[in-house]
Amino acid sequence: MSLPEIASREEWRRARQELLVKEKAATRARDALNAERRRLPMVEINTEYVFEGGDGKATLLDLFEGRRQLVVYHFMFAPEWDAGCRSCSAFLDQVGHLAHLHARGTTFAAVSRAPYTRILPFKARMGWTLPWYSSYDDDFNHDFAATLEHDGQLVDRPGVSCFLRDRDRAFHTYSTYERGLDGLGSTTSFLDLTALGRQEEWEEPKGRASAFGAPAGSERIRYHDEYEE
């Protein structure tokens, strides 16, 4: 096993300071990239997708649960499987309390091609309470490139797709897959993928921090049991 070199505390401080300069540059570059992502155009969704969840049949608008934004995790769970993908399961295990996303008008949900009758027992086994829907017999996964055709076979891949709602109209704003999921799982990491972002005053483009007529994002942070929907 290759281990880091041994150094004195002062040598470590110097090396750490040099790295910090690069880390701050990477943070500024990430902020600029997030701003460019928020400037992407959006596409209106006119297809009448039908999902199945805990309350029965649902439309794409239903998945928003009345909120302005929706982040969908494309969970790999083929119709013939008895259990979901291990890597996708590890991803969901790291997702934090959803109340902080909800406070910023954003819903998080998982969607898989497996029938809901297969999803439900696996969800119970994993102890998850987050919304999870089946898109069985629907083109949702295919339309958002989470299911591809390879050598005549349907192949799933993990991904995240983001949507924005304007009254009764839904728009697709962003998608990323596979290595694009690296580093995701926290509230801010998901918000950085959305059109409204973290809803902070310092974010570009301007005018999205007050999207819900409320204080900017960080000013709305509460203990997760103190939020009011």
Side-chain angles (χ1 to χ4, degrees), residues 10-29:
E10 186 54 38
E11 289 172 328
W12 181 89
R13 287 195 183 99
R14 285 197 300 270
R16 177 68 188 94
Q17 192 60 39
E18 292 173 0
L19 180 62
L20 181 60
V21 173
K22 297 177 181 179
E23 288 176 338
K24 289 185 175 181
T27 297
R28 290 190 292 271

Side-chain angles (χ1 to χ4, degrees), residues 165-178:
R165 183 176 66 88
D166 184 12
R167 298 179 178 85
D168 60 350
R169 301 169 70 191
F171 299 86
H172 176 221
T173 59
Y174 183 73
S175 287
T176 189
Y177 311 92
E178 297 169 338

Side-chain angles (χ1 to χ4, degrees), residues 33 37-38 40-43 70 72 74 144 160-163 171-177 180 184 192-195:
L33 182 63
R37 183 185 293 114
R38 289 189 291 273
L40 282 173
M42 59 186 186
V43 179
L70 170 66
V72 168
H74 299 287
F144 291 95
V160 166
S161 291
C162 300
F163 302 88
F171 299 86
H172 176 221
T173 59
Y174 183 73
S175 287
T176 189
Y177 311 92
L184 296 183
D192 283 343
L193 302 183
T194 67

